[in-house]
Amino acid sequence: MRSGASLPLPSRKYRIKTFLLSSARRVGEAGDLKDSSENRILIVDGGGTKTSAFLVRLGPADHVDVVASIRAGPANPVSVGWEVAEQNLRQAFEGLLGRSSPGTSSTLKVNYAVLAIAGTGREEVRSRMGAWFANLAIAERFCLLPDVALLVAGIGDQGVGIALVAGTGSIAWGINSTGQVARTGGWGFFLDDVGGGYWLGRQALQAVVRAADGRGQESSLTPSILKHFGLRQVEELVPLSSRLASKPILVAQLAPIVLQCSSQGDPVALNIVDRASNHLVEMVRCTARKLGWEAGGFPLALGGGLLEHSEELRQKVLKGLEAKNCPPATAALVDPVTAAARLVGHALAKEDWPHWKNVYWKGHPKI
């Protein structure tokens, strides 16, 4: 990829019909799925902030039709606990499949499910989550894997590469042809998560209070952030700080403000975004070194809200990798539906990637 080239986006062959949780029963209108011979797939993208679930049909020529989608709370059992994670996942399943209560029969089951759940990179977490889902008897076959790993499945036919995710937090994850897996980051907002949304938001807040003291440069971040919170003075951030400390998502929601100010040329915001991209570049490089790709040449999948919505940040990351002599062979934004459909396609064609045997947990309700 030449320097400054536009990031190629994967072609999308599906149509999305979105249903809110309150109207999820309308999924019952998709009754034609019950008797359809097409493959019905449940796709779940469960992170530490939210869970997105999709009910799709996999038709001929890799055509994917998203019949319905739904959102629920976070599903990472490591960060929110098992009770909360299972409750949010069950809520998503009930909304999409019409299951009224635990233990009752579903009005609609699926042929295959792909569960991309944060935290399942740990074997003990993956095994427990897999056994729990199998007991629900929703899918004839399913696989369970870390959410970041799913993105690698969407960038090529070989199942190798590195995924970089920058959303509320940040992580890089990769796998090579021998099945060696490496990760960098993903430690959580308190310990690390540099370059993620929370990190950007906190850097912006620090810039605002330092400017108020005269220790830092004035910037457009101050009026923008005060307006966001409905405040008049910087001092009013102090009583708000305890709430911000207990709810990281509120801090991460400042990231779009930082990116907007940066795109408008604000030097303070530009500096924050530059440092964020440098952190993300180092995460990819560190992962690449562990997998034998010191000189680049690997497929790179990008995901997470920051990278999805900020062309500026994407280009800074790609240019940074080139400047460090570690350019990817290809780079693309990958959405979970595209990646999951590809993973299912391989499974249905009995072309499972053998080097992924330790990445995902495969199961059947009758195990």
Side-chain angles (χ1 to χ4, degrees), residues 1-8 314-315 318-319 322 327-332:
M1 178 180 296
R2 68 182 187 279
S3 178
S6 297
L7 185 73
R314 292 198 301 266
Q315 292 302 324
L318 294 176
K319 291 178 181 179
E322 290 184 353
T330 59

Side-chain angles (χ1 to χ4, degrees), residues 216-239:
Q217 183 179 353
E218 292 286 348
S219 74
S220 59
L221 289 171
T222 297
S224 297
I225 289 178
L226 291 180
K227 180 180 179 180
H228 173 81
F229 288 121
L231 306 177
R232 295 182 179 180
Q233 304 292 331
V234 174
E235 289 74 14
E236 294 178 74
L237 286 170
V238 176

Side-chain angles (χ1 to χ4, degrees), residues 198 228-229 240 243-244 246-255:
Y198 176 87
H228 173 81
F229 288 121
L240 186 63
R243 183 171 174 231
L244 296 177
S246 64
K247 294 187 176 181
I249 186 62
L250 297 179
V251 179
Q253 287 171 350
L254 298 176

Side-chain angles (χ1 to χ4, degrees), residues 76-350:
N76 184 343
V78 177
S79 61
V80 301
W82 282 99
E83 182 178 356
V84 173
E86 291 174 0
Q87 178 182 352
N88 289 332
L89 287 170
R90 194 186 296 273
Q91 182 183 47
F93 301 153
E94 291 173 1
L96 283 180
L97 305 179
R99 179 167 294 203
S100 58
S101 61
T104 62
S105 61
S106 173
T107 59
L108 183 65
K109 293 188 178 182
V110 297
N111 304 106
Y112 210 106
V114 177
L115 310 177
I117 309 294
T120 57
R122 302 181 182 183
E123 177 61 32
E124 66 276 13
V125 176
R126 189 159 60 245
S127 295
R128 177 172 172 177
M129 179 68 74
W132 173 80
F133 181 77
N135 190 55
L136 296 179
I138 290 175
E140 295 176 5
R141 298 174 62 192
F142 73 93
C143 70
L144 171 67
L145 71 166
D147 57 340
V148 65
L150 179 61
L151 299 185
V152 175
I155 55 175
D157 295 327
Q158 304 303 313
V160 298
I162 295 175
L164 173 65
V165 174
T168 301
S170 60
I171 186 173
W173 184 96
I175 183 171
N176 61 22
S177 59
T178 68
Q180 181 184 359
V181 171
R183 58 172 281 175
T184 307
W187 294 101
F189 75 94
F190 183 78
L191 295 175
D192 191 51
D193 273 356
V194 290
Y198 176 87
W199 184 88
L200 262 74
R202 187 161 189 217
Q203 295 298 310
L205 288 170
Q206 291 176 341
V208 167
V209 298
R210 288 169 182 166
D213 276 346
R215 292 181 292 147
Q217 183 179 353
E218 292 286 348
S219 74
S220 59
L221 289 171
T222 297
S224 297
I225 289 178
L226 291 180
K227 180 180 179 180
H228 173 81
F229 288 121
L231 306 177
R232 295 182 179 180
Q233 304 292 331
V234 174
E235 289 74 14
E236 294 178 74
L237 286 170
V238 176
L240 186 63
S241 60
S242 60
R243 183 171 174 231
L244 296 177
S246 64
K247 294 187 176 181
I249 186 62
L250 297 179
V251 179
Q253 287 171 350
L254 298 176
I257 294 176
V258 182
L259 292 168
Q260 181 180 19
C261 291
S262 174
S263 67
Q264 295 172 348
D266 183 276
V268 176
L270 270 169
N271 178 263
I272 294 174
V273 175
D274 282 342
R275 287 187 288 129
S277 67
N278 289 339
H279 283 306
L280 296 176
V281 166
E282 286 309 306
M283 291 171 65
V284 174
R285 290 184 65 209
C286 184
T287 305
R289 285 196 300 269
K290 297 172 185 177
L291 297 173
W293 289 320
E294 295 88 344
F298 50 87
L300 177 64
L302 302 176
L306 292 186
L307 290 170
E308 289 174 7
H309 298 111
S310 176
E311 173 73 13
E312 176 188 8
L313 185 58
R314 292 198 301 266
Q315 292 302 324
K316 284 180 181 292
V317 169
L318 294 176
K319 291 178 181 179
L321 287 170
E322 290 184 353
K324 295 291 185 178
N325 298 314
C326 189
T330 59
L333 283 171
V334 178
D335 70 279
V337 173
T338 299
R342 173 164 288 177
L343 199 61
V344 172
H346 277 277
L348 294 176
K350 301 186 184 305

Side-chain angles (χ1 to χ4, degrees), residues 20-40:
L20 299 177
L21 183 60
S22 60
S23 61
R25 291 294 175 185
R26 292 175 58 195
V27 174
E29 296 172 5
D32 60 312
L33 283 178
K34 295 181 181 180
D35 301 317
S36 173
S37 60
E38 292 180 303
N39 291 292
R40 300 186 297 270

